[in-house]
Amino acid sequence: MPTGYFAEEHELFRKSLQDFLQKEVVPHIDKWEKSGTIERFIWEKFGEMGFFGINYPEEYGGLDLDLFYTVIFLEELQKINSGGFAAAMWAHAYLAMTHLNAEGSEEIKHKYLAKSITGEMIGCLCITEPFGGSDVAGMRTTAVKDGDEWVINGSKTFITNGVYSDYLVVSAKTSPKDRNKGISIFLIDRDTPGISATKLDKLGWRASDTAEIAFDEVRIPADHLMGEENKGFNYLMQHLALERLIMGVNAHARAEYALDYALGYMHDRMAFGKRLNEFQALRHKIADIASEIEMCKTFNYAITKRLDNNEYVVKEATMSKLLSTKMADQAIYDCLQFLGGYGYVEEYPLARMLRDSRLGPIGGGTSEILREIIAKMVIDKKEYKPAT
């Protein structure tokens, strides 16, 4: 493990999280994977342990710790083999709650952020639309001011926690003619009339609820606008750096877990009188996978350090997600191959891992979009600036 990033306190936290996950989460994973529903009790258990408040202010019940505690949280969630469960937890803690903390009023923070930290409330972030995909500026959902209310109309899709969450952080056009300069961010209570959600049936991430959500004349109080009107695009872009780095960290962690499992299997499995890990063709493949994991992990830790120092790392975080998710897909594909026929059997972990990992190059900005963003910065010298 690269030195200089983790202190003894970090490793004690990692051990306590590992113990918690093995005791409280792992026994339920297969049930949640089959049902597609994560039971509410586990959210409050996470809250009781402080896991949702890792990097949030103490005044709202958080722990205000550095980002490497978040890295540990993400890495260990990847190592219990449920990408869907992990996504439900980090989408709540680092997508929805990030906006509450950054753009929410004091009233919103004390009501919603504090209860999100305790696990009493679950949030989701609604950006992607059925016709928009990665084209955030082209979103069609609108918010129109009507007296002391906003009226929301439109739809969102591929929303993690979109069915069972208690509140929604929603991006909408407040000035449609201005494209990306006309987007705002709103907080909407789940029980507000006019909201309907349909659960999507997915290839992987089976434990998480992913929804298509419709807003039909949804009326919310004027003070549920978060941040400044028409500044929403800047807010979204600013926080996407964290989301992309999260997905990069998730990728190196699940690849590492897959390799560790495969190494154990190959040590025990015999063929032609030798262990599988004694065959040169397989040994060299392992060397490649281990090298690529270490390269991604070391890069991701370095970018985490810079982000923790409040540097604006949108380019590097985009690179993290692009390369780490591509690496993880290939690593897990190869690790499944090491198991032969058993890799294709649901009783073994690689089948689920292969399905779950495939979301990496798609969610949070497809690899194709990320390449164009990087190309704009490298070739066209485009500069992305933080929201002010």
Side-chain angles (χ1 to χ4, degrees):
M1 177 175 291
T3 59
Y5 297 117
F6 298 97
E8 183 181 357
E9 293 81 3
H10 290 104
E11 297 309 333
L12 290 172
F13 173 78
R14 187 186 295 274
K15 182 65 170 64
S16 70
L17 175 57
Q18 289 172 341
D19 292 345
F20 171 84
L21 292 174
Q22 288 301 317
K23 178 183 176 185
E24 303 290 353
V25 178
V26 170
H28 304 284
I29 285 295
D30 287 345
K31 174 176 58 177
W32 294 337
E33 284 281 327
K34 287 183 175 66
S35 69
T37 305
I38 298 167
E39 293 165 280
R40 291 287 300 217
F41 75 85
I42 199 62
W43 300 84
E44 295 193 8
K45 284 186 179 288
F46 267 71
E48 289 167 10
M49 294 293 291
F51 295 140
F52 291 142
I54 290 172
N55 66 335
Y56 290 104
E58 292 180 13
E59 62 187 294
Y60 310 113
L63 301 174
D64 201 18
L65 298 171
D66 66 62
L67 268 181
F68 284 95
Y69 286 92
T70 291
V71 167
I72 293 167
F73 178 74
L74 297 169
E75 288 179 335
E76 296 307 320
L77 278 173
Q78 290 299 310
K79 295 176 181 180
I80 58 172
N81 200 24
S82 175
F85 179 81
M89 298 300 115
W90 64 255
H92 167 65
Y94 297 106
L95 299 189
M97 287 171 60
T98 291
H99 284 276
L100 294 183
N101 186 54
E103 291 104 48
S105 64
E106 282 302 310
E107 183 181 356
I108 283 174
K109 288 178 185 177
H110 282 289
K111 181 178 179 182
Y112 294 89
L113 181 59
K115 288 187 176 180
S116 297
I117 288 171
T118 61
E120 294 172 77
M121 298 185 81
I122 303 169
C124 67
L125 177 63
C126 306
I127 303 175
T128 302
E129 298 192 353
F131 301 101
S134 298
D135 182 12
V136 176
M139 72 174 57
R140 301 180 185 182
T141 299
T142 60
V144 178
K145 193 76 176 291
D146 183 20
D148 59 355
E149 293 181 319
W150 289 95
V151 183
I152 316 288
N153 284 284
S155 59
K156 301 290 179 178
T157 196
F158 307 134
I159 308 304
T160 301
N161 296 335
V163 178
Y164 302 121
S165 55
D166 302 297
Y167 64 85
L168 307 88
V169 176
V170 179
S171 58
K173 283 284 184 70
T174 39
S175 181
K177 68 180 187 301
D178 293 326
R179 284 188 57 78
N180 66 320
K181 297 188 187 310
I183 295 171
S184 300
I185 306 292
F186 298 90
L187 175 66
I188 305 178
D189 284 300
R190 167 69 58 176
D191 58 6
T192 307
I195 299 175
S196 58
T198 304
K199 184 185 287 191
L200 301 174
D201 189 12
K202 309 184 299 295
L203 171 69
W205 282 20
R206 302 292 294 180
S208 65
D209 60 295
T210 305
E212 184 161 301
I213 304 174
F215 303 95
D216 181 13
E217 295 292 304
V218 175
R219 290 183 170 269
I220 62 173
D223 61 6
H224 275 216
L225 167 71
M226 296 207 298
E228 293 183 46
E229 186 177 341
N230 297 328
K231 288 286 186 70
F233 186 80
N234 288 341
Y235 300 141
L236 293 172
M237 294 301 105
Q238 183 164 317
H239 302 320
L240 276 175
L242 174 61
E243 180 182 357
R244 288 170 185 162
L245 181 58
I246 283 171
M247 295 191 75
V249 170
N250 288 341
H252 83 232
R254 67 176 169 268
E256 194 169 50
Y257 173 73
L259 182 59
D260 285 346
Y261 182 86
L263 287 172
Y265 178 89
M266 294 167 75
H267 177 270
D268 296 335
R269 179 76 171 174
M270 303 291 292
F272 303 102
K274 294 199 296 187
R275 291 188 174 94
L276 290 188
N277 63 10
E278 295 178 308
F279 288 90
Q280 187 184 70
L282 303 185
R283 292 167 65 85
H284 289 187
K285 177 64 72 174
I286 288 168
D288 286 343
I289 296 170
S291 299
E292 289 166 2
I293 291 171
E294 197 65 27
M295 291 283 284
C296 287
K297 182 164 68 169
T298 302
F299 179 76
N300 291 344
Y301 288 169
I303 303 313
T304 299
K305 183 67 173 176
R306 291 180 57 189
L307 186 60
D308 202 39
N309 290 334
N310 296 314
E311 293 185 42
Y312 194 59
V313 292
V314 63
K315 178 174 77 173
E316 294 83 357
T318 304
M319 291 172 170
S320 164
K321 181 183 182 299
L322 174 66
L323 295 183
S324 298
T325 57
K326 180 181 179 182
M327 177 279 296
D329 260 15
Q330 187 62 51
I332 291 167
Y333 182 95
D334 290 336
C335 286
L336 188 152
Q337 186 73 15
F338 292 150
L339 271 66
Y342 291 110
Y344 205 65
V345 175
E346 288 292 334
E347 185 180 343
Y348 290 74
L350 269 299
R352 182 189 297 165
M353 287 192 72
L354 187 73
R355 292 196 305 273
D356 286 352
S357 184
R358 193 61 192 87
L359 192 278
I362 298 171
T366 65
S367 293
E368 291 73 21
I369 291 294
L370 299 190
R371 290 188 183 97
E372 183 57 26
I373 290 169
I374 295 167
K376 285 179 180 178
M377 287 185 275
V378 173
I379 299 170
D380 305 331
K381 309 302 180 187
K382 181 174 177 61
E383 293 186 10
Y384 293 93
K385 305 226 176 209
T388 55

